[in-house]
Amino acid sequence: MTASPGSASPARYDEIDPRVEALVQDLIAQVADKWTMILIEVLHDHGEQRFTRIAQKVPDISQKMLTQTLRRMERNGLVCRTVHPVVPPRVDYRLTALGESLGEAFCGVWEWAQAHLDTVETARQGFDGRKADA
Amino acid sequence: MTASPGSASPARYDEIDPRVEALVQDLIAQVADKWTMILIEVLHDHGEQRFTRIAQKVPDISQKMLTQTLRRMERNGLVCRTVHPVVPPRVDYRLTALGESLGEAFCGVWEWAQAHLDTVETARQGFDGRKADA
DNA sequence: CTGGATCCCAACCGATACTG
DNA sequence: CAGTATCGGTTGGGATCCAG
């Protein structure tokens, strides 16, 4: 906790209320991770899916991470989880409106990354080259 | 590596080229972390800053993380590092155009988080409450 | 003042095994 | 089928000390 109670924090990262700042950062941390972004994409593209189907679409994710990520997304209101009370259990996951809106917000970063892939690559080579020439 | 050589990957996360996909995700992973976002904000708001000044603005960051993050940002072409050859060393960091553009891309996510803070909070309480009622 | 090197702990994540 | 529980390896990140 960096909570300095009544003491006037001189200059925070911004002019923003530090408490809101912390909340926002926490939220971003929970929501901006690799698997969350991927799952949003999958659910956006293919609509409601059951657990195993999602796992098939994202072969590199472990079942643990899939469960964990879906749970957190559900808790944050990003996905809606529907349990069908049938004998072989069946659970469907669907993106909520909130989840969809987050997906759109991510588009900016995603597009930035795509657009500047080579620029970054050039920068990296320049940097690495500079370090190499002893 | 998830490189399945020649085997036809049936349906990837999207219709996107998996190689590009991987690169983009790697880039996002390097660039979308907590400290990078904060440092972009600080440098955007206050312009060119020297090492210690930045550390002061972000009290919760360790000196190790600050150096590490700045280095990676420099390598990725997000910041420009200027070393002044004076007797007490002085190093200035400034956001590049690329860094600025990334900051703008982040705005979307940032604004989403701010806008939906309470929505998410409500969702969380609903979720937690549902789990509690045994 | 800047930042590299080291130690060490905690959180993350994958693999496996077990339950309803 | 859809999870939970547990163990172990890997990484992230803080504290401290040291060098240029």
Side-chain angles (χ1 to χ4, degrees):
Chain A
M1 299 305 173
T2 49
S4 33
S7 67
S9 319
R12 209 61 181 194
Y13 317 137
D14 203 2
E15 306 291 338
I16 312 172
D17 182 346
R19 292 162 310 180
V20 175
E21 161 94 23
L23 287 172
V24 170
Q25 268 173 32
D26 173 71
L27 179 52
I28 291 181
Q30 287 212 17
V31 123
D33 88 289
K34 178 184 176 184
W35 296 129
T36 303
M37 289 197 283
I38 293 179
L39 292 190
I40 286 183
E41 226 192 306
V42 170
L43 289 175
H44 173 79
D45 289 346
H46 303 282
E48 192 164 43
Q49 301 271 323
R50 55 189 302 177
F51 190 84
T52 329
R53 297 277 296 165
I54 302 177
Q56 287 167 6
K57 302 256 181 201
V58 192
D60 6 348
I61 197 174
S62 69
Q63 173 253 37
K64 177 184 179 178
M65 276 293 90
L66 180 53
T67 301
Q68 201 176 101
T69 307
L70 284 171
R71 272 290 180 292
R72 191 173 46 213
M73 289 173 75
E74 185 194 0
R75 192 172 108 91
N76 290 330
L78 265 38
V79 299
C80 174
R81 179 167 171 269
T82 313
V83 181
H84 302 274
V86 294
V87 47
R90 177 198 173 120
V91 182
D92 285 330
Y93 293 90
R94 180 176 47 81
L95 223 51
T96 63
L98 190 61
E100 295 278 0
S101 70
L102 177 56
E104 288 171 29
F106 274 143
C107 275
V109 180
W110 181 270
E111 283 165 6
W112 180 91
Q114 277 191 309
H116 298 290
L117 256 187
D118 48 353
T119 310
V120 171
E121 186 50 38
T122 306
R124 283 179 184 171
Q125 286 174 11
F127 182 87
D128 295 346
R130 237 171 291 135
K131 310 231 73 170
D133 62 5
Chain B
M1 301 306 173
T2 51
S4 32
S7 67
S9 319
R12 209 60 181 198
Y13 317 136
D14 203 4
E15 306 291 340
I16 312 173
D17 182 345
R19 292 162 310 180
V20 175
E21 162 94 24
L23 287 172
V24 169
Q25 268 173 32
D26 172 71
L27 180 52
I28 291 181
Q30 286 213 17
V31 124
D33 89 290
K34 179 183 175 185
W35 296 131
T36 303
M37 289 198 285
I38 294 180
L39 292 190
I40 286 183
E41 227 192 305
V42 170
L43 289 175
H44 173 78
D45 289 345
H46 303 282
E48 193 165 42
Q49 300 271 322
R50 54 190 301 178
F51 189 84
T52 329
R53 297 277 296 165
I54 301 176
Q56 288 166 6
K57 303 256 183 201
V58 192
D60 5 348
I61 198 174
S62 69
Q63 171 255 38
K64 175 184 177 178
M65 278 292 91
L66 181 52
T67 301
Q68 201 175 103
T69 307
L70 284 171
R71 270 293 179 288
R72 190 172 49 212
M73 291 174 72
E74 185 194 359
R75 192 173 110 91
N76 289 331
L78 266 38
V79 299
C80 173
R81 179 166 172 269
T82 313
V83 182
H84 301 274
V86 293
V87 46
R90 176 198 174 122
V91 181
D92 286 329
Y93 293 91
R94 181 175 47 82
L95 224 52
T96 64
L98 190 61
E100 295 279 359
S101 71
L102 177 57
E104 287 171 29
F106 274 143
C107 273
V109 180
W110 181 268
E111 282 165 6
W112 180 92
Q114 276 191 309
H116 299 289
L117 255 185
D118 48 352
T119 311
V120 172
E121 186 51 36
T122 305
R124 283 179 184 172
Q125 286 173 11
F127 182 88
D128 295 346
R130 237 172 291 134
K131 309 233 70 171
D133 64 5

